Amino acid sequence: MASIDLTDVTLSFGGTRAVDRVSLSMPSGAFFSLLGPSGCGKTTLLRLIAGLERPETGRIALDGQVVAEGRRFVEPGERDLGMVFQSYALWPHMTVAANVAFGLQMRRIPAKDRVAEALAMVGLSHLADRRPHQLSGGQRQRVALARSLAVRPRLILLDEPLANLDAHLRQSMLAEFRRIHRQSGTTFVFVTHDQNEAMAISDLVAVMDAGRLQQVASPQVLFDRPASAMVARFVGAGRTVPVDVLGSRDGHCDLLLAGHRLTLPGDAPPGPGWLCLHARDLALDPAGIPAEATGQRFENGMHMVHALLADAEVDVPSRGPVPPGPIRIAIAGGWVIPREGAAACHLSVAPAQ
Ligand code: ATP
């Protein structure tokens, strides 16, 4: 198991700051995900941890041992870590067992027991004599994971390992990864742009945007208390509605939304704010705030009404269909943040003022 500490790590490619002054601590033994839209710098951050890239500035430490800082640089092979990619990179001419044994033999570690243990952990003992072309995609990915686990690294880095699998298989592989992580006790760092994947599997998630870290928190905190408008919109298909915060106390904000006074959970000083909402926070209510229904979709047995509330898009669950036109919405929850939280946001859904 290894803890990972990044301090002020930056790496640019030409004019692009792929990783921009990232400071982050990942606790030992955690299942940690790096999440963000395409191009936000997740893979670059993973490659920096692996030692496949050198940081321009900052420090990277594994278990308190500095592996990159200034001229100091520990080569990838000396960092005691395993990597699993979306392409399985298995040797086609070798059996499953031989593929798993390969890394051990390179390190002159007796392979037999370690291979048996790693294959048992990923549930593939019965396929040890098959070759990769005789396996399904999910089985190949488990061989790739077994190959990493067999050398018992302190850290396993996984770069979109499920991207090539169909939706159903991804779900079952997520549960498998979680089980294997618990059983092995190894620290896992998992890169994904799929927020459902990250939320389902992780102890902690780091959300990145344009090279910067937006928030590091448990899945529930990211969902319930996003730190920025970008996180609110990216995680759980959240919506952000512009509000004026009048004041706050005891974890609640008094605010004005389209001229209506409300008190809702949040943490924002007086001034412009965002009210971060999920569908669960909203209901159609004749005594609610006026809004405009613009369309709907049928989802999980409910009608999800698309509406404009204070010129921002929201989704309101409804038992029956609702035609386009005026509606009223009651707000039972949400999370209020300062509007400047939107400054680093590169997804424009609601108008920034
Ligand atoms: P994706 O989910 O699409 O894989 P990502 O979040 O992993 O994206 P990175 O691959 O880390 O993003 O890329 C971050 C930025 O750095 C992007 O703008 C990308 O074009 C750029 N970049 C990454 N690697 C290189 C490289 N070797 N040379 C030039 N630019 C690069």
Side-chain angles (χ1 to χ4, degrees):
M1 292 205 282
S3 61
I4 306 167
D5 289 290
L6 308 175
T7 313
D8 228 8
V9 172
T10 295
L11 180 61
S12 308
F13 296 109
T16 309
R17 278 207 166 187
V19 170
D20 191 0
R21 304 195 63 180
V22 167
S23 294
L24 174 63
S25 284
M26 305 185 200
S28 183
F31 199 119
F32 196 101
S33 289
L34 300 175
L35 171 70
S38 181
C40 73
K42 310 175 291 286
T43 296
T44 305
L45 195 60
L46 198 77
R47 289 172 60 81
L48 283 159
I49 296 169
L52 300 171
E53 304 284 355
R54 285 174 183 247
E56 259 157 56
T57 64
R59 182 174 66 234
I60 302 174
L62 302 180
D63 270 342
Q65 178 208 359
V66 176
V67 293
E69 181 177 34
R71 289 209 192 128
R72 177 164 174 73
F73 187 75
V74 177
E75 294 294 334
E78 307 298 317
R79 292 193 183 191
D80 186 19
L81 45 82
M83 286 201 79
V84 179
F85 302 96
Q86 51 178 280
S87 63
Y88 322 111
L90 302 176
W91 296 108
H93 61 289
M94 289 185 187
T95 64
V96 165
N99 265 286
V100 176
F102 186 75
L104 295 165
Q105 286 156 352
M106 297 285 286
R107 291 171 175 77
R108 299 183 192 288
I109 300 169
K112 194 162 168 273
D113 291 349
R114 291 272 196 109
V115 171
E117 180 192 280
L119 286 179
M121 206 179 282
V122 301
L124 287 184
S125 306
H126 60 297
L127 300 181
D129 296 327
R130 289 231 186 134
R131 290 180 201 279
H133 74 273
Q134 297 169 309
L135 302 176
S136 70
Q139 289 165 339
R140 281 180 218 167
Q141 194 53 279
R142 279 191 275 169
V143 177
L145 185 55
R147 183 180 50 190
S148 283
L149 289 166
V151 292
R152 294 186 191 155
R154 56 182 169 181
L155 179 64
I156 294 189
L157 307 176
L158 305 108
D159 192 358
E160 306 245 10
L162 306 179
N164 285 335
L165 307 181
D166 69 47
H168 182 70
L169 193 51
R170 285 162 84 115
Q171 283 306 316
S172 61
M173 283 299 288
L174 278 177
E176 276 287 276
F177 275 19
R178 185 76 196 154
R179 178 188 65 73
I180 293 163
H181 167 256
R182 276 203 205 101
Q183 204 175 329
S184 68
T186 309
T187 308
F188 276 35
V189 183
F190 182 85
V191 162
T192 179
H193 64 269
D194 182 327
Q195 49 102 4
N196 288 324
E197 253 176 46
M199 302 291 270
I201 204 169
S202 314
D203 299 313
L204 282 171
V205 180
V207 182
M208 292 182 71
D209 189 34
R212 295 232 173 124
L213 210 53
Q214 292 275 324
Q215 188 172 5
V216 183
S218 68
Q220 185 168 359
V221 169
L222 287 181
F223 197 88
D224 291 346
R225 286 183 275 144
S228 70
M230 183 270 164
V231 175
R233 293 165 188 165
F234 193 70
V235 168
R239 302 296 195 175
T240 49
V241 176
V243 293
D244 289 314
V245 180
L246 305 172
S248 63
R249 71 197 138 71
D250 303 332
H252 283 73
C253 294
D254 293 318
L255 57 89
L256 281 177
L257 194 174
H260 293 254
R261 197 169 170 143
L262 297 169
T263 300
L264 289 167
D267 183 13
W274 290 117
L275 172 59
C276 307
L277 291 168
H278 292 287
R280 67 177 185 189
D281 302 317
L282 303 174
L284 296 173
D285 183 339
I289 299 172
E292 185 79 11
T294 57
Q296 62 182 337
R297 64 182 189 277
F298 192 63
E299 190 176 280
N300 296 328
M302 300 281 285
H303 297 267
M304 197 60 80
V305 181
H306 307 297
L308 284 177
L309 174 65
D311 288 333
E313 287 180 38
V314 293
D315 303 298
V316 191
S318 165
R319 289 200 172 277
V322 175
I327 55 171
R328 285 178 173 261
I329 300 174
I331 302 176
W335 180 248
V336 185
I337 58 173
R339 188 83 58 91
E340 61 265 23
C345 181
H346 295 264
L347 303 171
S348 61
V349 178
Q353 288 153 24

